RNA sequence: GCCCGAAUGGUGGAACUGGUAGACACAAGGGACUUAAAAUCCCUCGGCGGCAACGCUAUGCCGGUUCAAUUCCGGCUUCGGGCACCA
């Protein structure tokens, strides 16, 4: 048997054994607790990168560990296969997105298989496959029937480079999340999902997800952006109508001296007097031409125009001029804002510019605000002043009181507002799921009847690379007859956002072959929710919010029982090299293929798990990889060196061991305990591996010439193999077999530590004087506190430090530490 | 501006509910083996002082609580992330 560790053959050997025996195939099983483990599925971009290696290595350790712990582990893998890169590549290479995508999937599947991950490949799915997207179309129609999918004309984010609409969540810092081009606004008729219907529950449940990282929950809460406030009506002068505003600062109503409307406000022109009409219309036109992203930038100059009309402050009766202001947004609140120059910075700047009145209604404790000398708005809480009956109250208390006051007089109502917008899902691209809708000149928007599903994405399209989606130019696709009246009609040519597919793939993994409906409820209810989800933090709001939304929609449509998709979420850090994220443009990428062929998959897995805890960024280091390979070689060599001894070992008699033998065995069982805790309780893979390294440092030089030593070594090395099995499955399977075991390691249970073996016989106690370490003493386990004190005070080194001092107090920490307080 | 994180040797990191700071690994230096190299094995490795035993000092900075603080509290600094004319 060869002595040198050569990963190539053994990895191939075990991967084909697992594949042939379908070791990781699972089905519902009432006898075992289920465990649904999922990593965010990849986009088939071409080749896997180190981020994937890390993500899936983390998942695989958990999966293999849970399996050894007796769980029925479902661990699927699939492809988020629709999307723009395929289309762009097709235009460039004059091929077809489907071809490009399927070739990439084939290549990446092979790469992933070479890593030895324990996936149930029978559940593999690709979202571009008809058997996936047809059910999504049905789901769309169900949502349409419930009003959860609807069409509206609005200003939407438009990426000129990708030539498509983007959701709010896909605009990052004013740029496209994919290509970083500057996003502008376009008024279009588009499909939306009514995620705002679920704003309250999505927010509420962030407080019921203890298995999620707090920062992800905080990001989602901020994104949903619930604020409590008041809607207040301001009667328009010489009119029976009023303007409704939303405010969170009803405590400042007495300080409102004018009104600001969004330029897009539907009543803007109606409120404009004849003599001001030209100026106002000019302003509205100018704002319309200004890009929304620029206009809403923080440092954009505040600007407005007077409409010539006035309204009345419902609490003070003051006459308030009505302005249009460029910083007021139509799609938040009511599109109208009561302006309080003394207590809002934007209103302050606006009022300075247009010479509008200031009125202080909240005074901070200690100082006195004078509207004439203020250099900025005072936006904090304070004591109410100039506010009639509310004077003297704390402004925070007055919020409630004023809201009640207004509500009682029918002048306003308490309300909440959300920052979250509905999810725009129309994409003017080819490589996506067609929205199953028909437009008829007589019947309007008509859903494609269920019997006519699926709307198949046609393959034979021409890609010109310009002028929008090729679907729109394809007559055979566009022209159809209306399902209601039979007259000539047009088919919707927009496709759905690819985030729609990733919002429910985890449900479909529960029943990937089910083809008589969207989901097989029994299977889904058995497996859901996902017990552990793992992926990058970049999806904190996007995918993770959409997936939560879809889960609730599916529940309300009667397809599933779960409320939340993911019970526990692990967000792994990025892979960094030379101080920057790995990327082609920076030239700091490490190719997984090269790594596997040089060191093997086990080394790649081990390093990515050892170098950093999973949630932190991982600094890639080629010498560190070398070190991981060295460690595996040491295990390999040690097992082979002791093979003869182990095979001749008699059964262990744990009751009759010498002190040295007990010490060795104690190290083994303490390691089992440590690794078990690190995996079970906190996913501290790096410290788990470190503790096995420590054990190996003890076992390697160990050589006792006692009769029981072979049995101890056998137990020790078997333990090392079992403990390392989730991390490095190939080398451990091979060594397990070479030790003479006939069963595969994948069938073996996780080891338990022997409670009597880990009990210390002697303890090292540190002795401090006034909190400083002065001596260390070794005592027998079970030494009493009094005895420990006596021993400490009698210690030679300690004596030097307490000489001439009075011992005031002696603190004992059982089996660990003695602190002598002297002065 | 608001809201989250984080900061420990030359480097990645460890220290779990306050109790030996620096586990484990990488790098570096020295040595053994070798004709030589690679591989492997052994030793040293926060700073300052000392031949040494050992002492002092040290977890971004300043202060506090405590017998005892990397850990808890208050105030800063720097870096990273999220949100942002959201009324």
């Amino acid at each position: 048997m060869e002595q040198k560790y050569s990963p190539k053959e053994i990895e191939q050997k075990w991967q084909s054994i697992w594949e042939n025996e379908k070791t990781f195939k699972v089905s519902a099983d009432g006898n075992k607790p289920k465990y649904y483990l999922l990593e965010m599925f990849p986009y088939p971009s071409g080749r896997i990168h180190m981020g994937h290696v890390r993500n899936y290595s983390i998942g695989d350790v958990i999966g293999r560990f849970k399996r050894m712990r007796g769980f029925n582990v479902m661990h699927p893998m699939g492809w988020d296969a629709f999307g723009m890169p395929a289309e762009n590549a097709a235009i460039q290479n004059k091929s077809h997105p489907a071809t490009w995508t399927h070739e990439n999937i084939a290549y990446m599947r092979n790469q992933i298989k070479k890593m030895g991950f324990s996936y149930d490949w029978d559940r593999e799915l690709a979202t571009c496959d008809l058997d996936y997207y047809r059910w999504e179309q049905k789901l769309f129609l169900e949502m349409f029937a419930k009003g959860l999918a609807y069409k509206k004309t609005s200003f939407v984010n438009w990426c000129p480079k990708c030539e498509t609409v983007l959701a709010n969540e896909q605009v990052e810092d004013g740029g496209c999340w994919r290509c970083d081009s500057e996003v502008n606004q376009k008024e279009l008729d588009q499909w939306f999902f009514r995620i705002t219907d679920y704003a309250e529950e999505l927010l509420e449940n962030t407080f019921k997800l203890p298995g999620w990282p707090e920062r992800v929950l905080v990001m989602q809460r901020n994104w949903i952006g619930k604020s409590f406030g008041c809607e207040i009506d301001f009667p328009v002068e010489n009119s029976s109508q009023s303007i409704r505003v939303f405010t969170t600062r009803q405590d400042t109503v007495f300080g409102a001296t004018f009104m600001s409307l969004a330029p897009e406000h539907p009543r803007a022109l109606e409120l404009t007097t004849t003599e001001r009409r030209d100026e106002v219309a000019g302003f509205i036109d100018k704002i319309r031409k200004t890009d929304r992203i620029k206009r809403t930038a923080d440092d954009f100059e505040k600007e407005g125009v007077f409409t010539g009309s006035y309204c009345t402050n419902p609490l003070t009766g003051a006459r308030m001029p009505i302005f249009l202001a460029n910083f007021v947004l139509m799609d938040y609140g009511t599109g109208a804002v009561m302006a309080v120059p003394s207590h809002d910075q934007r209103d302050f700047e606006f009022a300075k510019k247009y010479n509008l009145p200031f009125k202080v209604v909240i005074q901070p404790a200690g100082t006195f605000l004078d509207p004439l000398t203020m250099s900025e708005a005072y936006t904090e809480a304070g004591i109410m002043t100039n506010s009639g009956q509310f004077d003297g109250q704390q402004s925070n208390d007055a919020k409630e009181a004023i809201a009640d006051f207004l509500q009682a007089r029918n002048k306003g109502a308490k309300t909440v507002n959300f920052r979250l917008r509905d999810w725009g899902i129309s994409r003017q691209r080819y490589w996506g799921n067609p929205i199953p809708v028909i437009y008829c000149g007589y019947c309007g928007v008509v859903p494609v009847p269920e019997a006519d599903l699926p709307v198949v994405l046609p393959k034979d399209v021409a890609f010109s690379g310009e002028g929008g989606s090729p679907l729109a130019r394809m007559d055979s696709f566009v022209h159809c007859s209306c399902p209601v009246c039979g007259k000539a009609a047009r088919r919707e040519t927009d496709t759905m956002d690819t985030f729609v597919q990733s919002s429910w793939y985890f449900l479909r993994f529960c029943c990937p072959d089910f083809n008589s409906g969207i989901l097989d409820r029994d299977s889904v209810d058995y497996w859901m929710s996902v017990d552990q989800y793992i992926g990058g933090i970049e999806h904190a709001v996007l995918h993770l919010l959409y997936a939560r939304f879809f889960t609730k929609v599916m529940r309300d449509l009667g397809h599933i029982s779960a409320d939340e998709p993911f019970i526990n979420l692990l967000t792994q850090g990025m892979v960094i090299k030379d101080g920057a994220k790995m990327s082609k443009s920076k030239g700091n990428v490490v190719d997984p293929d090269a790594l596997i062929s040089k060191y093997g998959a086990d080394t790649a897995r081990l390093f990515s798990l050892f170098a950093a805890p999973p949630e932190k960024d991982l600094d890639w280091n080629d010498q560190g990889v070398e070190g991981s390979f060295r460690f595996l070689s040491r295990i390999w060599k040690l097992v082979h060196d002791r093979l003869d001894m182990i095979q001749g070992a008699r059964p262990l008699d744990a009751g009759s061991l010498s002190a040295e033998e007990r010490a060795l065995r104690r190290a083994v069982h303490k390691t089992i305990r440590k690794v078990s805790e690190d995996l079970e309780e906190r996913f501290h893979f790096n410290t788990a591996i470190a503790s096995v390294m420590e054990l190996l440092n003890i076992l390697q030089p160990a050589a006792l010439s006692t009769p029981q030593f072979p049995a101890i070594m056998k137990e020790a090395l078997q333990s090392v193999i079992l403990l390392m099995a989730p991390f490095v499955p190939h080398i451990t399977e091979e060594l397990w077999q070479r030790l003479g075991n006939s069963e595969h390691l994948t069938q073996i249970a996780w080891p338990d530590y022997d409670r009597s073996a880990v009990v210390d016989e002697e303890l090292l106690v540190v002795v401090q004087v006034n909190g400083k370490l002065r001596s260390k003493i070794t005592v027998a386990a079970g030494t009493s506190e009094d005895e420990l004190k006596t021993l400490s005070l009698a210690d030679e080194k300690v004596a030097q430090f307490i000489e001439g001092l009075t011992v005031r107090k002696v603190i004992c920490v059982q089996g660990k530490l003695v602190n002598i307080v002297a002065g």
Side-chain angles (χ1 to χ4, degrees):
Chain A
M1 223 177 278
E2 79 269 23
Q3 291 291 302
K4 196 163 160 29
Y5 170 47
S6 43
K8 197 162 246 167
E9 297 92 77
I10 63 171
E11 291 185 355
Q12 274 168 10
K13 168 183 162 185
W14 288 101
Q15 282 164 17
S16 55
I17 289 173
W18 297 330
E19 177 141 16
N20 295 337
E21 295 186 352
K22 291 198 184 290
T23 307
F24 307 111
K25 184 179 167 68
V26 282
S27 53
D29 177 353
N31 297 319
K32 286 182 183 176
K34 71 95 184 175
Y35 193 88
Y36 185 177
L37 169 68
L38 186 66
E39 296 110 45
M40 290 181 185
F41 68 163
Y43 179 78
S45 56
R47 343 186 85 223
I48 62 166
H49 52 69
M50 277 305 159
H52 293 125
V53 169
R54 186 179 193 200
N55 191 178
Y56 308 149
S57 295
I58 292 167
D60 208 50
V61 174
I62 298 172
R64 287 177 181 268
F65 174 68
K66 289 289 177 186
R67 215 172 276 119
M68 289 175 88
R69 275 290 199 207
F71 287 87
N72 190 29
V73 176
M74 199 249 278
H75 191 203
M77 176 48 70
W79 312 95
D80 189 12
F82 273 136
M84 290 229 339
E87 208 168 327
N88 294 339
I91 292 164
Q92 245 175 37
N93 310 337
K94 302 215 187 313
S95 85
H96 194 280
T99 313
W100 185 84
T101 302
H102 284 114
E103 281 172 7
N104 286 350
I105 288 175
Y107 191 85
M108 290 171 75
R109 184 195 295 117
N110 185 38
Q111 285 187 300
I112 289 174
K113 284 191 172 178
K114 281 200 289 186
M115 287 298 297
F117 297 129
S118 59
Y119 294 119
D120 177 357
W121 285 103
D122 286 353
R123 289 176 187 266
E124 182 183 2
L125 59 81
T127 57
C128 65
D129 289 345
L130 191 60
D131 280 343
Y132 187 82
Y133 75 74
R134 66 192 300 173
W135 298 117
E136 191 169 282
Q137 291 180 4
K138 175 146 194 314
L139 181 60
F140 177 93
L141 294 178
E142 289 183 9
M143 290 174 76
F144 177 74
K146 291 262 181 185
L148 289 169
Y150 68 97
K151 209 174 186 202
K152 73 171 175 189
T153 303
S154 67
F155 281 94
V156 290
N157 310 298
W158 178 264
C159 174
K161 187 166 174 219
C162 301
E163 295 190 304
T164 187
V165 166
L166 299 173
N168 290 339
E169 289 79 7
Q170 290 163 341
V171 180
E172 292 168 354
D173 219 8
C176 172
W177 69 293
R178 258 237 143 103
C179 70
D180 213 30
S181 309
E182 198 172 303
V183 169
N184 46 47
Q185 300 290 306
K186 250 192 183 182
E187 193 169 25
L188 289 172
D189 198 27
Q190 298 280 290
W191 286 95
F192 286 84
F193 283 155
R194 211 177 288 280
I195 190 171
T196 52
D197 267 15
Y198 288 85
E200 193 71 62
E201 195 192 342
L202 286 168
L203 178 68
E204 201 58 29
N205 278 20
T206 60
F207 297 97
K208 298 174 191 163
L209 289 169
W212 282 44
E214 188 59 22
R215 60 180 181 142
V216 174
L217 296 172
V218 168
M219 277 191 236
Q220 293 211 351
R221 279 175 212 142
N222 289 343
W223 189 261
I224 295 167
K226 183 179 186 178
S227 47
F228 296 88
C230 223
E231 285 191 350
I232 307 173
D233 290 329
F234 286 67
V236 177
E237 207 175 79
N238 305 321
S239 158
S240 60
Q241 300 203 312
S242 54
I243 297 171
R244 180 164 288 185
V245 305
F246 171 75
T247 182
T248 54
R249 292 299 306 273
Q250 59 271 19
D251 51 327
T252 64
V253 177
F254 285 86
T257 56
F258 63 99
M259 170 78 69
S260 306
L261 303 188
E264 305 90 340
H265 198 284
R267 289 169 59 201
L269 280 173
E270 167 201 324
L271 287 162
T272 304
T273 54
T274 324
E275 62 272 20
R276 302 209 46 82
R277 187 154 300 245
D278 286 352
E279 199 183 329
V280 170
F283 179 75
I284 293 173
D285 193 48
K286 178 178 155 192
I287 296 300
R288 196 160 272 167
K289 283 180 184 150
T290 312
D291 189 79
R292 200 190 114 121
I293 305 283
K294 282 191 192 129
R295 182 187 142 202
T296 55
D298 199 3
D299 51 1
F300 200 75
E301 167 90 19
K302 285 167 193 41
E303 205 183 348
V305 64
F306 179 43
T307 60
S309 298
Y310 293 84
C311 61
T312 312
N313 186 316
L315 292 186
T316 64
R319 196 170 187 235
M320 297 165 56
I322 301 172
F323 277 76
L324 305 188
N326 63 352
F327 61 86
V328 180
L329 308 172
M330 192 56 224
D331 62 0
Y332 184 79
T334 62
V337 181
M338 65 171 199
V340 186
S342 300
H343 303 292
D344 182 284
Q345 188 57 28
R346 295 154 298 178
D347 298 341
F348 183 93
E349 288 168 34
F350 195 85
K352 283 276 179 212
K353 181 163 179 169
Y354 295 101
N355 208 16
L356 293 157
F358 285 73
K359 187 179 170 191
V360 169
V361 292
I362 292 173
Q363 286 290 358
T367 53
F368 179 78
L369 292 177
D370 179 356
L372 296 174
T373 57
M374 284 171 80
S375 59
E376 57 178 9
Y378 177 74
T379 57
E380 307 291 303
I383 306 292
M384 301 289 289
T385 183
N386 287 326
S387 300
Q389 65 186 98
F390 302 99
D391 278 4
Q393 285 193 26
Q394 285 292 332
S395 60
N396 283 329
D397 301 337
K399 267 188 188 174
E400 195 65 19
I402 290 179
D404 289 339
F405 184 86
L406 288 164
Q407 201 155 300
R409 280 155 189 78
N410 244 337
K411 292 178 174 187
K414 284 186 220 176
T415 181
V416 292
N417 236 296
F418 291 95
R419 197 185 153 278
L420 183 69
R421 296 281 158 274
D422 277 339
W423 172 16
I425 58 137
S426 300
R427 296 292 178 271
Q428 292 67 44
R429 303 296 306 201
Y430 162 74
W431 190 234
N433 189 4
I435 296 173
V437 161
I438 288 166
Y439 301 104
C440 169
Y442 302 90
C443 307
V445 178
V446 181
V448 173
E450 211 183 309
D452 296 349
L453 289 185
V455 176
V456 178
L457 185 68
K459 287 269 166 76
D460 51 340
V461 288
F463 292 98
S464 62
E466 50 200 68
S469 169
L471 280 184
R473 293 190 304 271
M474 190 178 181
D475 287 349
S476 59
F477 181 78
V478 175
H479 296 309
C480 60
S481 54
C482 171
V484 178
C485 69
K487 295 200 179 81
R490 289 177 54 85
R491 204 176 277 287
E492 170 68 83
T493 57
D494 283 356
T495 54
M496 294 186 221
D497 184 0
T498 53
F499 277 91
V500 176
Q501 286 95 66
S502 55
S503 295
W504 69 288
Y505 77 108
F506 48 90
L507 297 173
R508 190 71 192 168
F509 269 144
C510 300
C511 51
D513 301 322
F514 186 68
N515 266 328
S516 43
I518 299 172
L519 294 168
D520 171 34
R521 183 154 189 170
D522 286 346
S523 302
V524 178
D525 283 349
Y526 172 80
W527 288 112
M528 282 297 286
S529 302
V530 174
D531 294 277
Q532 183 66 55
Y533 197 34
I534 309 162
I537 186 81
E538 65 273 18
H539 289 291
V541 177
L542 281 157
H543 160 61
L544 290 169
L545 187 65
Y546 294 149
R548 294 184 59 217
F549 164 56
F550 257 57
T551 300
K552 292 170 196 305
V553 169
M554 290 282 212
R555 176 200 61 197
D556 292 347
L557 290 172
H559 293 299
I560 63 172
S561 306
D563 293 317
E564 284 288 336
F566 316 122
I567 303 299
N568 295 294
L569 173 69
L570 179 67
T571 48
Q572 104 260 9
M574 289 186 303
V575 181
I576 303 284
K577 189 161 190 277
D578 310 324
K581 186 179 177 173
M582 278 190 188
S583 73
K584 273 184 213 154
S585 58
K586 294 207 179 68
N588 60 349
V589 283
V590 174
D591 179 33
D593 282 351
L595 194 65
I596 292 170
S597 65
K598 187 165 179 195
Y599 299 103
D602 281 338
T603 295
R605 296 167 59 120
L606 185 66
F607 178 73
S608 68
L609 294 161
F610 177 63
E615 64 281 358
K616 286 187 81 169
D617 285 350
L618 183 153
D619 208 336
W620 196 268
N621 176 323
D622 294 334
Q623 281 134 349
V625 177
E626 202 86 46
S628 291
F629 181 77
R630 250 190 325 254
F631 173 61
L632 294 181
S633 305
R634 284 175 61 205
I635 295 180
W636 179 267
K637 184 167 185 305
L638 186 61
V639 170
H640 283 89
D641 284 353
R642 306 281 169 110
L643 213 50
D644 290 344
M645 178 202 278
I646 288 168
Q647 275 158 356
R650 286 179 294 170
L652 182 75
D653 176 9
S656 65
L657 298 174
S658 70
E660 277 176 307
E661 289 169 331
R662 284 200 303 274
L664 196 55
R665 195 160 175 264
R666 188 176 306 118
V668 173
H669 285 268
K670 279 188 169 180
T671 307
I672 296 173
R673 180 173 65 185
K674 166 77 176 155
V675 175
S676 304
E677 284 171 359
D678 277 351
L679 292 186
E680 193 90 67
E681 290 158 27
R682 11 169 210 265
F683 299 154
H684 282 192
F685 309 124
N686 55 335
T687 53
I689 294 165
S691 67
V692 179
M693 288 175 170
E694 276 180 84
L695 178 61
L696 206 74
N697 289 343
I698 294 170
L699 295 179
Q700 198 166 272
L704 301 176
S705 50
T706 58
Q708 294 242 50
F709 181 64
I712 292 171
M713 269 324 275
K714 181 176 179 179
E715 186 192 37
L717 290 172
Q718 287 195 336
S719 300
V720 167
I721 290 167
L722 288 167
L723 295 178
M724 290 306 291
F727 302 93
V728 284
H730 311 89
I731 184 175
T732 48
E733 278 275 25
E734 183 65 22
L735 290 173
W736 188 252
Q737 194 177 58
R738 291 186 184 205
L739 281 180
N741 296 294
S742 52
E743 272 183 307
H744 291 167
L745 197 46
T746 43
Q747 282 138 19
I748 306 296
W750 186 256
D752 284 320
Y753 70 93
D754 179 344
R755 281 167 193 280
S756 60
V758 295
V759 176
D760 285 304
E761 292 162 24
E762 287 188 322
L763 298 168
L764 182 70
V765 174
V766 295
V767 186
Q768 298 180 332
V769 178
N770 290 329
K772 286 195 175 177
L773 179 70
R774 294 306 181 193
S775 184
K776 296 176 186 182
I777 54 178
T778 305
V779 298
T783 304
S784 75
E785 220 171 87
D786 284 343
E787 218 175 319
L788 204 54
K789 283 181 188 175
T790 314
L791 283 168
S792 303
L793 288 167
D795 185 86
E796 225 177 281
K797 288 175 195 156
V798 170
Q800 291 171 31
F801 287 94
I802 54 173
E803 203 186 323
L805 302 176
T806 319
V807 174
R808 299 228 163 88
K809 204 168 136 204
V810 179
I811 289 145
C812 275
V813 180
Q814 197 59 51
K816 268 195 168 167
L817 171 142
V818 175
N819 189 13
I820 298 162
V821 186

